[in-house]
Amino acid sequence: MPRCVRNGCGQDYDPANNGPSSCTYHSGAPVFHEGLKSWSCCSDVNKPVLDFDEFMKIPGCTVSLHTDEAPEVPAPATKTSSADSKLIMKETKDGSEVYSTGATKFASPKASIPPLVEAPVVEDEDDLGVPVTPGTICKRRGCGTAFVNDEVDRIGDGDKTICTYHPADPIFHEGSKGYLCCKRRVLEFDEFLKIEGCKKGRHVFAPKQRTEPQVEQFTDCRVDHYQTPKEVHISVFAKQADKEKSTVTIEDNQIHFDLYLPGSKRFRRTIILFGPVDPDGSSYKFYNTKVEVVLKKLDTRSWTLLEKTARDLGNISLTFGVGGRTGTIGGKDLVLDEQNTNRGN
């Protein structure tokens, strides 16, 4: 039985019963931007999501026939060399001829980076006591097997009980797509969906509920900031922080973050601010990918740093000034406090 190759469908179908409304799919292309995932054809209807499994569950927006013919991919444009480019031939020690069109580029030496210690992957197990509806797709990444019955897909050691899947999460980086558990990387999303699993095991149609308590783990989040003459804007990149449990406390000279993140992770940090602020005039807001804080300054001087320090920063306590635009870098007009203004005079 053929399998439909349209985005968002992937079902096995009977060609004899393939009607004009049999297939519900996405006619557009996948869009991945700053961790958010969506489809270009229905991003205004279906909101972007962060988790890849949720992205794969976004319902299709177009109806048509099923098809097993791969979509045509436009050929990449060939780059023509400039008219004045010269072909250079060099001969190696063993007599081989090497041709190039420019000077040899030497890669700069990279500093040695200690290997990362990967956290163990906790895999789901199939709950054989839960009944499964025929047609249910295996929950493991990269499998796509549709459930027929217990005797075929769940019980015994038959060939169809074996699941070939990816145990780790997908990774999208600078256009390349793949899985953390294996080395293959592709550029096209259709090719990514075809990457064969790298591990074999049992299908998971009804995952067992995990009852063991998860240990809370403290983690770190990136904190960026920029300033205007009257405000300091802080971004804490904490994805999917629980705004019901999390707290942000702003005082006149410090700010406290206590953010609860998915996977029993928690971010806690207190920042002693470089200058005084007005807590009542300051605010914060939770987003899907970060927490934004706006601090209202009590004076208009530029802050050298976000966090106060005991180090000697020199005679003038500023770095970048702001002149008419939001942000600090590139400002042309310096903003001095009263003390430094008097020194300049």
Side-chain angles (χ1 to χ4, degrees), residues 36-303:
L36 295 175
K37 305 169 181 65
S38 63
W39 293 95
S40 62
C41 50
C42 57
S43 57
D44 55 339
V45 178
N46 297 311
K47 294 183 179 179
V49 296
L50 289 168
D51 187 71
F52 182 76
D53 293 332
E54 294 298 324
F55 164 72
M56 296 299 292
K57 295 177 183 177
I58 296 178
C61 57
T62 307
V63 177
S64 183
L65 296 166
H66 289 298
T67 180
D68 59 352
E69 296 181 3
E72 295 183 1
V73 179
T78 57
K79 296 182 178 179
T80 58
S81 59
S82 59
D84 57 348
S85 62
K86 296 181 179 180
L87 192 64
I88 301 173
M89 187 275 287
K90 293 183 179 181
E91 187 172 345
T92 60
K93 293 181 179 180
D94 59 358
S96 301
E97 295 179 352
V98 179
Y99 294 89
S100 63
T101 57
T104 305
K105 295 181 180 179
F106 297 93
S108 58
K110 296 182 179 180
S112 58
I113 301 175
L116 297 176
V117 179
E118 296 184 1
V121 178
V122 180
E123 298 186 25
D124 290 326
E125 296 182 7
D126 195 22
D127 190 347
L128 299 179
V130 176
V132 178
T133 305
T136 301
I137 304 298
C138 176
K139 301 298 187 294
R140 294 198 188 276
R141 302 180 184 92
C143 177
T145 298
F147 178 76
V148 177
N149 55 52
D150 287 342
E151 289 71 19
V152 173
D153 301 306
R154 304 178 87 186
I155 301 174
D157 298 321
D159 293 339
K160 293 188 177 181
T161 63
I162 299 175
C163 177
T164 304
Y165 65 100
H166 295 284
D169 292 330
I171 179 173
F172 305 97
H173 181 66
E174 295 182 353
S176 67
K177 304 169 182 65
Y179 289 90
L180 291 171
C181 49
C182 50
K183 296 181 179 180
R184 187 181 176 190
R185 299 290 185 268
V186 297
L187 294 175
E188 296 295 333
F189 185 73
D190 292 336
E191 294 299 321
F192 163 73
L193 294 177
K194 297 176 184 177
I195 296 178
E196 187 176 359
C198 57
K199 186 175 181 179
K200 294 185 181 296
R202 308 287 294 195
H203 293 297
V204 175
F205 296 105
K208 286 184 177 180
Q209 298 296 326
R210 299 175 185 174
T211 56
E212 66 274 9
Q214 294 184 339
V215 180
E216 187 175 76
Q217 178 183 1
F218 285 95
T219 186
D220 194 17
C221 296
R222 180 165 63 92
V223 179
D224 286 348
H225 80 284
Y226 69 89
Q227 62 180 307
T228 68
K230 296 182 179 180
E231 298 174 339
V232 176
H233 296 248
I234 303 174
S235 298
V236 181
F237 292 88
K239 290 185 178 180
Q240 293 182 308
D242 188 341
K243 61 182 179 181
E244 301 298 332
K245 297 173 61 178
S246 302
T247 58
V248 178
T249 305
I250 303 173
E251 300 179 5
D252 55 0
N253 62 349
Q254 58 186 349
I255 182 171
H256 307 276
F257 293 99
D258 190 0
L259 308 179
Y260 289 84
L261 308 176
S264 297
K265 294 183 179 181
R266 188 175 179 183
F267 170 72
R268 294 182 66 182
R269 182 176 173 184
T270 296
I271 299 176
I272 307 299
L273 300 172
F274 184 83
V277 299
D278 178 12
D280 296 332
S282 303
S283 62
Y284 62 88
K285 189 173 183 179
F286 286 85
Y287 295 92
N288 283 336
T289 57
K290 60 184 176 179
V291 178
E292 285 280 357
V293 182
V294 180
L295 301 176
K296 183 179 180 181
K297 294 180 181 179
L298 287 181
D299 52 47
T300 58
R301 61 174 169 167
S302 290
W303 288 16

Side-chain angles (χ1 to χ4, degrees), residues 3-12 23-24 66 137 144:
R3 175 171 294 183
C4 181
V5 298
R6 295 191 189 275
N7 289 331
C9 180
Q11 297 182 0
D12 295 333
C23 178
T24 303
H66 289 298
I137 304 298

